[in-house]
Every structure is written in structure tokens, then in C-alpha cells.
């Protein structure tokens, strides 16, 4: 299955992995679904939807951008930041698990959710240890660490649910690690933008998902 997916990713599948959501009503009712449809007369101003997975992505997009932008622009003590951002990240992780609870009935998505929770906890733990135990080498590499976590998470998601969109975003995160030495003193802002925009992109656009979304109709409130 993995090899077939990789062949589709690089050679055979020419369909668009990401596309604009056409309408708030192009998806069936799902638990916790947000529909946004603004229309003035016959003119549709905005018509979109957000599943609970989308909502979790929006939450993480905002959290990651806030954390790294603060580290870039505000001179706050590192230990204070560690307390604040660890707490916020844990809240985000728990919220993600809660929002995606009903999706865990689909085996590939359950694996993906569990993997992201583990990755977030590993990242939080390593970050806090580097700050409170003064691990200078790791502190100097917090941006590559989180971009790597981001990349691994997206690549695993892409392979597990057969989504080229997630796989390509994972690849771009690895590329961002290689480009970090060339952004000067803007590593934290760059990391925040890459992680934040990646999550918001997944939330705002419709992504390919192999056969996974064929099972969504089985979800019940």
C-alpha cells in the first residue's frame, strides 16, 4: 500500500491534491460540522465548511504562529515562555483529541490522531527539558525540531490516509529545515509561519484522502 501511494504521489496520479471548497453544502452532515454560507441576493459572498479536523487545524495554526512569533519579537524569559506555551500546547493537544473523537471510528484517522498526540507530547517534553536543564545544543535547534515534528506528522498522515496534500506539506516542512540557515535571525518567525500556514491551509482547502472520506457517512452524532 505504501509503495503504491508513493508511486501515485510522484508519477501516476495527476489529480489536484488541494482545491478550494466549492460550497458549504458539498459535504454531508457530520458531528460538529460548521457551515458558513453568506449570500447577498443571488451573489454568494462566502460558502465553506469546517469539519472538526479542520477546526483542530485552525486551533493549531493559531497556537503555533502565536508561540513562535512571541519567541521572535518579545523579550520574555525562556522559562516563563516554557510554562506558558507548554500549558497552551497541552490545551491544544487535548482540544484536538476532543474535537477528533468521533473520527477515531475510522482506523486510519485514529492512527493519525494518536501519532500527532505523541509527536506533540514529545516536542513539548524535549523543548521544556532543553530550557529548564539548559541543554544549549537542543535549545539552539528548537526550530528544526518543531519543523521536523511537523514534517513527520504530515508525512505519516499522508501515507496513512493516502493523501498527497499532506505528504507534500510534510516535504515542504523538511525543505524549510534546510532553508533555516539562510533566513538570518528570523528562524522563529519562519518556523511559526511554516507550521501555522500549513495547518490553516489544510483547514481552508479540500484535500485528497484516498478512500478514507468514503467512510465519513458512517459517522453518527
Amino acid at each position: 500500500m505504501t509503495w503504491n501511494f508513493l508511486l501515485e504521489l510522484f508519477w501516476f496520479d495527476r489529480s489536484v491534491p488541494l482545491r478550494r471548497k466549492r460550497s458549504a453544502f458539498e459535504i454531508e452532515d457530520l458531528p460538529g460540522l460548521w457551515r458558513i454560507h453568506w449570500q447577498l441576493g443571488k451573489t454568494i459572498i462566502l460558502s465553506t465548511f469546517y469539519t472538526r479536523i479542520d477546526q483542530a487545524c485552525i486551533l493549531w495554526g493559531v497556537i503555533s504562529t502565536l508561540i513562535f512569533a512571541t519567541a521572535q519579537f518579545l523579550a520574555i524569559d525562556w522559562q516563563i515562555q516554557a510554562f506558558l506555551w507548554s500549558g497552551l500546547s497541552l490545551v491544544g493537544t487535548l482540544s484536538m483529541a476532543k474535537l477528533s473523537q468521533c473520527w477515531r471510528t475510522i482506523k486510519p484517522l485514529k492512527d493519525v490522531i494518536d501519532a500527532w498526540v505523541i509527536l506533540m507530547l514529545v516536542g513539548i517534553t524535549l523543548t521544556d527539558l532543553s530550557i529548564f536543564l539548559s541543554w544549549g545544543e537542543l535549545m539552539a535547534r528548537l526550530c528544526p525540531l518543531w519543523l521536523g515534528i511537523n514534517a513527520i506528522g504530515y508525512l505519516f498522515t499522508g501515507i496513512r490516509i493516502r493523501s498527497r496534500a499532506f505528504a507534500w506539506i510534510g516535504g515542504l516542512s523538511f525543505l524549510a529545515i534546510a532553508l533555516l540557515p539562510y533566513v538570518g535571525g528570523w528562524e522563529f518567525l519562519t518556523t511559526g509561519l511554516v507550521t501555522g500556514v500549513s495547518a490553516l491551509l489544510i483547514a481552508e482547502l479540500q484535500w485528497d484522502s484516498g478512500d478514507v472520506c468514503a467512510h465519513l457517512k458512517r459517522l453518527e452524532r
Side-chain angles (χ1 to χ4, degrees):
M1 175 179 173
T2 300
W3 288 111
N4 288 338
F5 169 72
L6 292 176
L7 289 173
E8 292 174 3
L9 175 63
F10 291 106
W11 286 289
F12 297 121
D13 197 327
R14 295 294 182 265
S15 60
V16 179
L18 280 171
R19 64 173 176 82
R20 185 173 175 271
K21 296 174 182 176
R22 291 188 292 264
S23 168
F25 306 102
E26 71 171 307
I27 188 172
E28 66 269 24
D29 286 332
L30 295 172
L33 181 70
W34 292 352
R35 297 187 193 273
I36 299 176
H37 186 78
W38 296 343
Q39 185 170 345
L40 186 61
K42 294 184 178 180
T43 302
I44 298 175
I45 301 172
L46 176 66
S47 187
T48 189
F49 60 87
Y50 298 98
T51 66
R52 285 184 174 175
I53 294 293
D54 295 333
Q55 295 163 32
C57 287
I58 292 173
L59 178 63
W60 270 115
V62 172
I63 288 175
S64 60
T65 303
L66 176 63
I67 289 174
F68 286 100
T70 300
Q72 181 71 59
F73 294 111
L74 299 182
I76 301 176
D77 181 79
W78 277 104
Q79 292 191 1
I80 294 176
Q81 288 196 60
F83 276 119
L84 292 175
W85 304 140
S86 294
L88 185 58
S89 297
L90 287 173
V91 169
T93 301
L94 292 174
S95 299
M96 176 185 69
K98 178 66 175 177
L99 284 169
S100 55
Q101 186 63 37
C102 65
W103 294 68
R104 294 174 65 85
T105 57
I106 303 173
K107 182 61 167 64
L109 287 176
K110 178 183 182 300
D111 295 342
V112 166
I113 294 164
D114 290 343
W116 276 105
V117 169
I118 292 171
L119 286 170
M120 291 299 105
L121 293 178
V122 168
I124 293 169
T125 301
L126 290 176
T127 300
D128 287 350
L129 288 175
S130 72
I131 292 173
F132 291 112
L133 299 182
S134 299
W135 292 353
E137 287 293 323
L138 184 55
M139 279 190 67
R141 292 173 173 79
L142 288 180
C143 291
L145 169 68
W146 280 100
L147 284 173
I149 287 173
N150 204 56
I152 292 170
Y154 280 114
L155 282 174
F156 178 78
T157 302
I159 292 173
R160 195 68 188 90
I161 69 173
R162 297 177 59 80
S163 170
R164 289 174 298 126
F166 280 93
W168 282 115
I169 290 176
L172 290 175
S173 295
F174 276 125
L175 178 62
I177 296 175
L179 295 177
L180 279 181
Y182 303 99
V183 299
W186 299 97
E187 286 191 355
F188 285 103
L189 181 61
T190 301
T191 301
L193 288 175
V194 171
T195 56
V197 171
S198 296
L200 294 175
L201 194 66
I202 289 296
E204 286 296 329
L205 300 178
Q206 185 67 34
W207 33 271
D208 60 324
S209 59
D211 297 327
V212 172
C213 285
H215 300 286
L216 293 181
K217 61 184 179 181
R218 300 178 183 177
L219 294 177
E220 298 178 354
R221 293 185 182 277

